[in-house]
Amino acid sequence: MSATPRVVVIGAGIVGANLADELTARGWDRVTVLDQGPLPLTGGSTSHAPGLVFQTNASRTMTAFAGYTVEKFTGIDVDGAWCFNQVGGLEVATTPERLADLHRKQGWATSWGVESQVVDADECVRLHPLVDRDRILGGLHIPSDGLAKASRAVVALARRAEARGARFQGSTRVTGIEQAGGRVTGVRTPDGVVPADVVVSCAGFWGQELGAMVGMDVPLLPLAHQFAWTGQVPDLVGRNDELGEASLPILRHQDQDLYFRERVDRLGIGSYAHRPMPVDLRELPQGEDVRESSMPSMLPFTEEDFAPVWEQSRLLLPSLRSSKIDTGFNGVFSFTPDGGPLIGESPDVAGFWIAEAVWVTHSAGVARAVAQLLVDGRSEIDLHGCDVHRFEDVQLSPEYVSETSQQNFVEVYDVVHPLQPRMSPRDLRVSPFHARQQELGAVFLEAGGWERPHWYEANAPLVDELPAEWVPPERDAWAARFWSPIAAAEAWRTRTAVAMYDMTPLTRLEVSGPGALALLQRLTTGEMDKSVGAVTYTLALDEAGGIRSDLTVARLGEQLFQVGANGPLDLDHLRRQAPDDGSVQIRDTTGGTCCIGLWGPRARDVVRGLTADDFSDDGLKYFRAKRARIGGVPVTAMRLSYVGELGWEIYAGADNGRRLWDVLWAAGQEHGIVAAGRAAFNSLRLEKGYRAWGHDMTTEHDPYEAGLGFAVRRQKTADFVGRQAVAGRSADTVGRRLSCLTIDDGRSVVLGHEPVFVDGRPAGYVTSAAFGHTVGRPIAYAWLPASAAVGTSVEIGYFGTRIAATVTAEPLVDPGMTRLRG
Ligand SMILES: Cc1cc2nc3c(=O)[nH]c(=O)nc-3n(C[C@H](O)[C@H](O)[C@H](O)COP(=O)(O)OP(=O)(O)OC[C@H]3O[C@@H](n4cnc5c(N)ncnc54)[C@H](O)[C@@H]3O)c2cc1C
């Protein structure tokens, strides 16, 4: 057997130790773990982590990571002493809003397969007798949550990894990364170079320092977070022995940004209620000092910040009134712009990876995913929300990282609506149509730094003109947030007249050069070797047949392609896969260009007077592109539509964008044109069954499961990634399916991530949902067992209630495609 790669892991915290364990378990035995601090308590965040593991999260991936941490830590010990104490988790509500949110969270738990119950106040007190019955309305109980003893788990994992050949070395600071020919070759330390084929930085909140050594942006912010231990709590005396430590569930009081854990006869209290306290690494012990300083990640306790939460703690847990704070510290750990961890390889230095901004809770899951990436080339769990390359350039600036990470600290326990935009920073990226959109009263939400109109207040009068069958039903207060009935009017006009959609924020990549065709042939499931002007909807698969992305590829020249992509991950993927002989150039052209989706039965009437080019059915066929001029503006028009109506995506240079908008707008007036936003768009796309990657499908799904088998061209002569994996599969072989549901009562709108029950049992979860204005019913797409055929009655869990729905044949609108091809 050939030798496995030499791996250096930087950091012997819970992530580094887990990674050494996962790699050696896969036979990669040449693993060296280096830490600047002494072993095993290195002084990083892990050394003093109180280790509460609340598994459930809006993200399926993060919940799966946590579930694996629970499973793994339950199975390890140090000389018989536990690494995971499954005391359960209890989150209490003191407001009706929180109680409702706990019901929503219980829905996520059910969707992701975690057993849980919302319980009443009496049951909360039975589970945690210290809680004041009169202060709470109820709680969410998750019996499999508990306490991870992170510092002990590090010892257990290190021992296991060492037994398989790994080496752990403390008091060794990495001061540089050695590289040659664009690859890592080792790490520099004061004692010399340690050679390596792969380096993984698990340096926690020091991550930016390590990234800087290879010029890599690591968008995290070290923040201090207060944690205190009480003195003896009389009501806890005699409950636990030193070994067991705790028997009460871990407790969250999110309405006051607090959490609690037991330790023998004391309580630990963590608080997010204080001001964000960013930490400048330069002020922490460095180099030699780390060896002497026991805990660089423990900053002095600022009592004044803790005083109000101590009061709140004593209100929730009256037993604390006869206790006092014994010790406390301001502990440092990482926050990121979106709260997710950071996993991935440097774009410039092959073999340099990071796994940072990871909680103890997710540590084993993240480490397993990284080990799978290194050893197998892919993770079994979808990583798109964790990939360090998920951020747009503008989101990597220190100002953005600092502001948004601090905001995440403040909001960590807030009830956050899925559409809720951040208030600041805003206006980072605006399309050339922005001023016009403002004039029309656009209500903007933000994504990827872009301002995106969701609807236009200028269309409000149209709501009164809606035909009865288009009038949307009232929504409940939650579903009505960040929504307006104006969306119904915009959808109506799109289906009956014509609308302009700002498609500028959708990522556009230009792939060109003599090797462009071959690259796209290899990376996608469709036939790319078509005539100039062809547009192809296609999939990028991974080796196992999982969907990495869906792409719309337009061949604009023999060696020139425009790729409509899902975001920065596609750019990163294409760049990594491109040959390094200069035969392919890949550029993100999104910022310098713009796009209007002009769609509706009267779209052709709008352009007719504006162009000498042929926009007839023959002149520009469905899924064809051509260069043209509209109102004097040079454009590339593509005959396709996410909303399922006749029309084009019209691309222009950003400098011409405003004029393009104005000429279309003016010409459209006599045809009833409206500007329409994302709310209408999302409804119309779901009516047509168009999938959104990242929501509806990910690398965890194959094309046939996702209902996208048509995009895999079996007769394609060129080989492509994933071909072998999907060769034997078809829509008939799948065990699960992305299914279209319509809601039986015609009015109850769900928002996504809700559990779906078949025969009363959890069977899947909602991916995307909207009210279908054309069909007059709410729609939800959901992953369900393939046995749930069309006509099957199901129920969707929504804030603790069940909504009846039916699996329905898709698409709901225009299955014959007559509107698009007209
Ligand atoms: C007060 C507090 C409470 C918390 N509570 C919880 C909780 O209840 N549940 C939970 O899940 N998480 C909790 N966390 C978060 C959790 O502790 C961290 O996210 C986690 O421990 C990070 O693990 P890590 O291995 O990535 O980082 P660390 O443990 O910080 O390890 C990184 C290591 O890298 C080493 N290193 C850095 N630079 C270099 C270099 N140049 N050369 C060599 N070595 C280097 C450091 O010495 C360090 O040992 C808490 C954090 C704090 C501060």
Side-chain angles (χ1 to χ4, degrees):
M1 204 177 94
S2 61
T4 54
R6 294 162 303 175
V7 182
V8 167
V9 175
I10 304 168
I14 195 67
V15 178
N18 260 302
L19 181 59
D21 176 61
E22 295 287 336
L23 285 172
T24 53
R26 288 168 174 75
W28 280 29
D29 51 1
R30 303 204 291 168
V31 175
T32 306
V33 183
L34 302 177
D35 202 293
Q36 61 187 5
L39 300 179
L41 290 182
T42 63
S45 308
T46 306
S47 305
H48 52 74
L52 290 81
V53 177
F54 289 97
Q55 298 166 84
T56 307
N57 180 301
S59 156
R60 183 166 171 272
T61 292
M62 298 302 276
T63 307
F65 284 164
Y68 181 61
T69 302
V70 167
E71 181 192 322
K72 180 170 171 177
F73 285 16
T74 304
I76 56 175
D77 63 79
V78 174
D79 306 328
W82 59 269
C83 291
F84 191 74
N85 186 352
Q86 202 151 41
V87 289
L90 181 65
E91 307 187 28
V92 291
T94 59
T95 62
E97 294 74 27
R98 177 68 59 184
L99 188 60
D101 200 54
L102 292 181
H103 277 289
R104 185 167 71 114
K105 198 167 197 181
Q106 200 259 332
W108 299 338
T110 308
S111 290
W112 316 147
V114 179
E115 194 202 318
S116 64
Q117 297 90 34
V118 173
V119 294
D120 64 16
D122 288 335
E123 180 62 9
C124 290
V125 175
R126 195 191 67 74
L127 291 162
H128 201 306
L130 266 51
V131 172
D132 182 354
R133 162 76 183 74
D134 295 337
R135 294 226 161 245
I136 58 166
L137 302 175
L140 173 65
H141 181 225
I142 301 200
S144 55
D145 286 348
L147 280 169
K149 189 79 156 181
S151 52
R152 195 182 285 153
V154 164
V155 173
L157 295 166
R159 282 187 189 173
R160 198 155 82 173
E162 281 171 335
R164 301 185 192 120
R167 199 167 63 83
F168 278 67
Q169 184 176 317
S171 304
T172 306
R173 183 172 163 82
V174 172
T175 55
I177 307 298
E178 295 286 308
Q179 42 177 304
R183 278 208 65 87
V184 287
T185 56
V187 302
R188 226 171 301 140
T189 75
D191 309 324
V193 169
V194 182
D197 306 304
V198 175
V199 173
V200 189
S201 177
C202 302
F205 67 80
W206 285 273
Q208 281 191 328
E209 270 187 6
L210 277 299
M213 293 178 190
V214 295
M216 180 176 181
D217 288 313
V218 178
L220 65 75
L221 182 73
L223 283 169
H225 152 60
Q226 288 204 299
F227 190 82
W229 290 106
T230 69
Q232 195 177 64
V233 180
D235 288 343
L236 292 179
V237 173
R239 282 186 57 92
N240 308 297
D241 58 23
E242 290 285 337
L243 195 62
E245 242 184 61
S247 48
L248 292 176
I250 53 173
L251 179 67
R252 263 182 182 163
H253 179 21
Q254 292 169 99
D255 294 318
Q256 293 297 334
D257 295 316
L258 289 171
Y259 64 84
F260 306 88
R261 61 152 293 181
E262 206 184 5
R263 191 175 72 188
V264 190
D265 54 7
R266 293 152 195 259
L267 278 189
I269 307 174
S271 163
Y272 292 102
H274 53 82
R275 65 202 156 96
M277 304 179 196
V279 174
D280 186 340
L281 291 186
R282 288 167 301 189
E283 288 165 15
L284 300 182
Q286 307 257 343
E288 286 296 304
D289 298 343
V290 177
R291 299 185 188 191
E292 275 116 58
S293 158
S294 57
M295 290 285 158
S297 62
M298 276 173 107
L299 301 178
F301 192 52
T302 49
E303 266 174 58
E304 64 282 11
D305 289 304
F306 202 76
V309 300
W310 177 231
E311 280 316 303
Q312 288 298 337
S313 303
R314 290 151 72 119
L315 289 176
L316 182 72
L317 309 171
S319 306
L320 293 182
R321 289 183 192 145
S322 45
S323 180
K324 57 183 176 38
I325 295 297
D326 186 15
T327 56
F329 61 97
N330 293 1
V332 187
F333 73 116
S334 311
F335 274 75
T336 58
D338 60 6
L342 305 173
I343 296 173
E345 188 181 14
S346 153
D348 305 313
V349 183
F352 182 86
W353 291 73
I354 68 167
E356 283 153 355
V358 179
W359 289 27
V360 170
T361 301
H362 311 111
S363 57
V366 166
R368 180 177 63 175
V370 174
Q372 288 175 343
L373 285 170
L374 291 174
V375 176
D376 310 327
R378 81 184 287 272
S379 144
E380 71 190 82
I381 290 182
D382 158 43
L383 294 182
H384 82 275
C386 311
D387 194 312
V388 62
H389 303 298
R390 67 187 178 273
F391 300 100
E392 302 279 347
D393 251 359
V394 71
Q395 298 174 312
L396 295 172
S397 73
E399 295 83 355
Y400 184 90
V401 173
S402 173
E403 181 172 354
T404 54
S405 301
Q406 292 188 50
Q407 196 178 353
N408 279 336
F409 177 91
V410 172
E411 291 179 356
V412 71
Y413 282 168
D414 285 4
V415 175
V416 179
H417 190 277
L419 288 172
Q420 187 169 316
R422 59 173 89 256
M423 301 308 287
S424 171
R426 291 293 297 269
D427 287 343
L428 289 175
R429 307 175 87 185
V430 296
S431 81
F433 323 129
H434 191 247
R436 294 291 183 254
Q437 293 168 340
Q438 283 178 313
E439 287 162 19
L440 293 172
V443 174
F444 293 98
L445 302 185
E446 181 265 354
W450 284 101
E451 295 297 323
R452 308 205 299 180
H454 272 241
W455 65 86
Y456 294 83
E457 288 296 329
N459 293 328
L462 294 176
V463 176
D464 296 332
E465 291 178 29
L466 281 171
E469 65 276 20
W470 282 86
V471 175
E474 292 262 317
R475 293 185 170 209
D476 69 77
W478 182 254
R481 294 189 69 196
F482 309 105
W483 182 82
S484 161
I486 295 171
E490 294 174 3
W492 170 58
R493 276 298 177 90
T494 310
R495 292 265 186 255
T496 57
V498 59
M500 288 162 66
Y501 288 83
D502 181 359
M503 304 298 286
T504 305
L506 274 73
T507 303
R508 287 175 287 291
L509 308 176
E510 185 188 270
V511 181
S512 62
L517 173 63
L519 176 69
L520 292 171
Q521 283 284 51
R522 182 164 64 79
L523 296 185
T524 71
T525 56
E527 178 56 63
M528 296 294 119
D529 194 5
K530 293 181 178 164
S531 61
V532 171
V535 183
T536 312
Y537 174 79
T538 188
L539 302 174
L541 302 183
D542 63 21
E543 294 289 353
I547 305 173
R548 291 192 73 110
S549 191
D550 63 338
L551 306 168
T552 305
V553 181
R555 189 170 200 180
L556 300 180
E558 284 297 325
Q559 300 184 359
L560 176 64
F561 296 83
Q562 178 175 315
V563 178
N566 283 302
L569 291 179
D570 294 317
L571 177 63
D572 181 63
H573 179 55
L574 283 173
R575 285 204 168 133
R576 283 176 198 282
Q577 295 294 324
D580 52 13
D581 58 6
S583 63
V584 185
Q585 287 82 48
I586 298 164
R587 284 199 308 143
D588 183 343
T589 55
T590 316
T593 55
C594 62
C595 179
I596 294 175
L598 182 75
W599 293 313
R602 306 197 64 177
R604 208 168 263 141
D605 300 328
V606 177
V607 293
R608 188 168 290 126
L610 293 173
T611 182
D613 294 289
D614 186 357
F615 276 77
S616 70
D617 193 32
D618 276 346
L620 184 52
K621 289 197 159 68
Y622 188 52
F623 265 82
R624 296 289 299 178
K626 74 174 183 184
R627 298 197 196 277
R629 284 182 194 276
I630 293 180
V633 175
V635 303
T636 301
M638 295 187 199
R639 171 104 181 264
L640 37 115
S641 162
Y642 289 109
V643 301
E645 294 297 325
L646 171 70
W648 310 271
E649 289 182 358
I650 304 173
Y651 295 90
D655 52 345
N656 296 142
R658 174 94 156 249
R659 177 157 175 83
L660 178 65
W661 179 281
D662 286 347
V663 295
L664 290 172
W665 181 251
Q669 291 309 307
E670 62 176 300
H671 306 293
I673 200 165
V674 293
R678 302 287 308 173
F681 179 91
N682 199 39
S683 159
L684 298 170
R685 97 163 161 90
L686 280 185
E687 289 181 336
K688 283 297 298 171
Y690 293 138
R691 278 71 169 141
W693 187 86
H695 297 277
D696 299 318
M697 72 281 190
T698 67
T699 49
E700 290 184 31
H701 310 107
D702 80 26
Y704 304 101
E705 294 169 326
L708 296 171
F710 67 87
V712 180
R713 204 164 159 81
R714 291 186 187 275
Q715 55 278 52
K716 177 172 168 176
T717 44
D719 200 13
F720 60 88
V721 177
R723 179 177 212 150
Q724 273 192 332
V726 299
R729 304 186 202 174
S730 75
D732 300 327
T733 63
V734 300
R736 60 181 173 173
R737 198 175 282 138
L738 186 62
S739 308
C740 176
L741 308 178
T742 51
I743 310 289
D744 294 353
D745 68 11
R747 58 194 319 281
S748 301
V749 175
V750 300
L751 297 177
H753 294 183
E754 295 86 359
V756 181
F757 301 84
V758 179
D759 295 331
R761 282 187 294 279
Y765 59 92
V766 173
T767 58
S768 291
F771 188 84
H773 296 291
T774 321
V775 295
R777 275 176 297 169
I779 307 166
Y781 270 77
W783 281 103
L784 285 180
S787 54
V790 167
T792 304
S793 292
V794 303
E795 289 175 310
I796 302 176
Y798 186 67
F799 288 94
T801 64
R802 300 275 178 98
I803 296 172
T806 304
V807 180
T808 307
E810 59 164 334
L812 298 171
V813 166
D814 192 24
M817 305 285 276
T818 51
R819 304 179 71 87
L820 276 163
R821 293 178 192 275

